[in-house]
Structures are given as structure tokens and as C-alpha cells.
């Protein structure tokens, strides 16, 4: 497949870098404290899902009914643990494959931006040395509706001034692929439950496979 597009919008977690293990560790501390069973399979369901929606998935295993205030405190507690873990990230967590591919796409003239549900996006980009790299960043702090709603990708496209039908989205979550399609964009699946989810336009073999389709 050969695409003639103007911009590439990247999901962050699971595409540019791998934060799943930190999300897992942080949620696990909270779940253990609350006496709720939580494992890596349940953690997989949190991919691309907002922070509060992730907590709701974890609470499916709890017999307790919590108030909105308690739930807000739980998500804050998890985020504090998660942010501590993110401090361990450094430019060494950005692979040469991702770095080289991004540089080559820029050389080819593509606008490059981020569309992530995470409210920690800018912190993570700073940790891995990409704080100033992208033409625009749209993240969890810009939106009211999480993926599969297209809001974050439409915001990202708007920030770079490119029409949605000229944008390609790279995603590792099925919800993200659905969001890209709902926004009228081309959806490329990489890893995760995005692969072969039935909504993708193309399954990427690897991150640098982007250079074969763009
Ligand atoms: C997504 C992750 O990128 O961001 C989800 O895939 C996470 O697992 C979501 O829940 C929200 O992240 P944060 O950093 O705002 O808690
Ligand atoms: Mg992701």
C-alpha cells in the first residue's frame, strides 16, 4: 500500500514508547491496597482507555460501591505512583527505530503530531527527549471525550492545520483505530489489539514499516 497524505498523528503509549508496565505497576499497588484482583490480562483492557474508565474496569472485580469523590482520589493516587515510575524514563527509552523513522518522515515533509488520551503526554515526551520534536501535541488535557471518540485526533489535525482526510493515524489500541476512522482519517494498526481489529486500513509490520507506506 502507498499512501499520499500530509500528516502522521501518533498515539503515544504503546506506539512511540512503552509505558504499559508502569501503568500496570501503579494500578496494581492501588488494586492490592483495595483488595481487588488485578492481573496483566485485565491491564491489557486498559490500553487506550482514559484514567477514570480504567479505574471502572478495575472496580468490576470489587463488591464495594465507591463515590465519585473516592474514585477521583483513587485515580490521583494511581497517577502519583505512575508519575514516580515515569521519572525512570529517559531518552534511552526511545528506540533507534522510532527515532530514525520519525526523522526520515520529517525529512520527507510530513507534519508529525501526537494524539494521546494521556494527561501525562508532555511529561513523557520530555522524559524520552521528544519534548520539542512534534509539530503539535493533542492529549488528555485537550479533550472531554476519550477514544473511540475522534476528538483527540481531530484536535491534533486542527493544531497542525491539516484536513482529517490528509492524516494517517498510528495506533496500538482498537479504540484508537475506531477513533481515527470516526474522524475520517486513515488508520494504521501497530501491535496490541489494534492489529486485525477489523477497523484498520492497514496492519504495520513494525514502526519502520511506515517508511514503506508513506
Ligand atoms: C493511554 C493509555 O494512552 O492513556 C491508557 O493507553 C491510559 O492506558 C490513558 O489509561 C490515560 O493516561 P493517563 O496518563 O492520563 O493516566
Ligand atoms: Mg496506545
Amino acid at each position: 500500500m502507498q499512501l499520499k497524505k500530509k500528516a502522521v498523528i501518533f498515539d503515544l503509549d504503546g506506539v512511540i514508547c512503552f509505558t504499559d508496565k508502569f501503568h500496570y505497576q501503579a494500578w496494581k499497588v492501588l488494586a492490592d491496597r483495595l483488595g481487588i484482583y488485578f492481573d496483566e490480562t485485565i491491564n491489557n483492557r486498559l490500553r487506550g482507555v482514559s484514567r477514570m474508565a480504567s479505574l471502572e474496569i478495575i472496580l468490576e472485580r470489587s463488591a464495594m460501591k465507591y463515590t465519585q469523590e473516592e474514585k477521583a482520589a483513587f485515580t490521583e493516587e494511581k497517577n502519583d505512583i505512575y508519575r514516580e515510575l515515569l521519572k525512570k524514563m529517559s531518552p534511552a527509552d526511545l528506540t533507534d527505530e522510532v527515532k530514525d523513522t520519525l526523522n526520515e518522515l520529517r525529512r520527507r515533509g510530513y507534519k508529525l503530531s501526537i494524539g494521546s488520551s494521556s494527561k501525562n503526554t508532555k511529561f513523557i515526551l520530555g522524559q524520552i527527549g521528544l519534548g520539542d520534536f512534534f509539530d503539535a501535541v493533542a492529549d488528555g488535557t485537550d479533550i472531554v471525550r476519550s477514544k473511540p471518540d475522534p476528538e483527540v485526533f481531530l484536535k491534533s489535525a486542527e493544531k497542525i492545520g491539516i484536513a482529517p482526510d490528509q492524516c494517517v493515524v498510528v495506533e496500538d489500541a482498537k479504540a484508537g483505530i475506531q477513533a481515527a476512522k470516526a474522524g475520517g482519517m486513515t488508520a494504521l494498526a501497530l501491535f496490541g489489539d489494534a492489529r486485525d481489529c477489523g477497523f484498520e486500513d492497514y496492519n504495520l509490520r513494525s514502526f519502520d514499516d511506515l517508511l514503506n507506506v508513506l
Side-chain angles (χ1 to χ4, degrees):
M1 189 172 73
Q2 199 65 45
L3 296 164
K4 296 241 174 303
K5 302 287 174 182
K6 294 186 175 149
V8 190
I9 305 177
F10 296 91
D11 172 50
L12 178 69
D13 297 308
V15 170
I16 298 289
C17 61
F18 300 94
T19 48
D20 325 32
K21 55 186 180 297
F22 298 136
H23 276 297
Y24 175 69
Q25 286 172 38
W27 283 124
K28 181 77 178 143
V29 171
L30 178 75
D32 285 352
R33 186 177 77 67
L34 298 175
I36 301 169
Y37 178 79
F38 180 60
D39 63 17
E40 306 238 16
T41 309
I42 301 171
N43 191 59
N44 257 331
R45 289 176 56 204
L46 312 185
R47 210 181 274 275
V49 171
S50 77
R51 201 179 297 170
M52 187 53 85
S54 297
L55 176 68
E56 295 290 0
I57 290 172
I58 291 166
L59 292 181
E60 285 172 9
R61 296 271 186 151
S62 168
M64 294 282 290
K65 287 274 163 279
Y66 294 103
T67 64
Q68 277 316 114
E69 288 71 28
E70 285 170 319
K71 288 179 187 175
F74 292 158
T75 55
E76 203 171 313
E77 181 181 336
K78 179 265 175 176
N79 195 53
D80 288 345
I81 302 165
Y82 180 56
R83 298 263 305 195
E84 274 308 308
L85 295 168
L86 290 178
K87 286 183 187 163
K88 293 187 204 167
M89 291 187 93
S90 74
D93 288 292
L94 182 68
T95 65
D96 286 342
E97 180 190 5
V98 170
K99 203 186 324 178
D100 295 347
T101 303
L102 289 174
N103 284 328
E104 174 58 16
L105 289 173
R106 171 146 296 153
R107 198 195 61 78
R108 292 185 189 181
Y110 288 96
K111 288 268 190 192
L112 305 175
S113 67
I114 293 284
S116 166
S117 309
S118 172
K119 293 181 174 159
N120 293 300
T121 295
K122 293 190 179 82
F123 183 62
I124 295 168
L125 288 173
Q127 290 297 105
I128 60 176
L130 290 179
D132 297 319
F133 180 82
F134 290 96
D135 296 304
V137 172
D139 65 18
T141 64
D142 293 303
I143 56 168
V144 288
R145 293 177 302 277
S146 234
K147 301 168 187 176
D149 190 284
E151 189 180 9
V152 78
F153 291 137
L154 292 175
K155 248 310 133 63
S156 200
E158 187 187 311
K159 286 188 185 201
I160 49 175
I162 303 287
D165 68 351
Q166 290 303 311
C167 295
V168 167
V169 167
V170 185
E171 258 293 348
D172 71 317
K174 179 182 174 188
I177 293 289
Q178 290 172 306
K181 295 309 293 174
M185 300 171 182
T186 301
L188 306 185
L190 178 68
F191 317 130
D193 65 353
R195 250 197 116 67
D196 292 319
C197 69
F199 298 95
E200 79 286 355
D201 290 297
Y202 181 75
N203 285 303
L204 290 166
R205 285 184 293 269
S206 54
F207 192 90
D208 60 8
D209 191 23
L210 271 173
L211 300 178
N212 301 317
V213 294
L214 290 170

